[in-house]
Amino acid sequence: MPDPTADPTAGHEPELLTITEAADVLRAPVATLRYWRHLGTGPTSFRLGRRVLYRRADLRTWIDAQADRAPSR
């Protein structure tokens, strides 16, 4: 029987990603994410204190939207 006091997110991917972690997921330079953030064209991000964070689900949604916009070959 699972331990009810155990952290339910233990062993899973984190929900919130730093800009460096998001860049790794997207395989893009951090500078590119900063530029997209400046233009307002990249994945949804937000500030928590001084940190810029991305929700993993928002990255996936943005990736899917980019794939849908790409011309099919």
Side-chain angles (χ1 to χ4, degrees), residues 7-71:
D7 181 2
T9 61
H12 294 89
E13 297 174 332
E15 163 69 14
L16 298 177
L17 304 175
T18 64
I19 194 167
T20 303
E21 294 166 335
D24 288 343
V25 169
L26 296 174
R27 296 182 183 182
V30 170
T32 299
L33 266 71
R34 287 188 180 125
Y35 184 61
W36 287 343
R37 183 172 160 77
H38 170 74
L39 294 177
T41 60
T44 303
S45 61
F46 62 96
R47 291 188 76 87
L48 187 61
R50 298 174 78 180
R51 299 174 68 188
V52 174
L53 297 175
Y54 295 81
R55 286 188 176 92
R56 186 173 296 276
D58 290 341
L59 288 178
R60 289 188 182 128
T61 300
W62 186 81
I63 291 167
D64 291 343
Q66 299 312 300
D68 291 344
R69 292 179 48 205

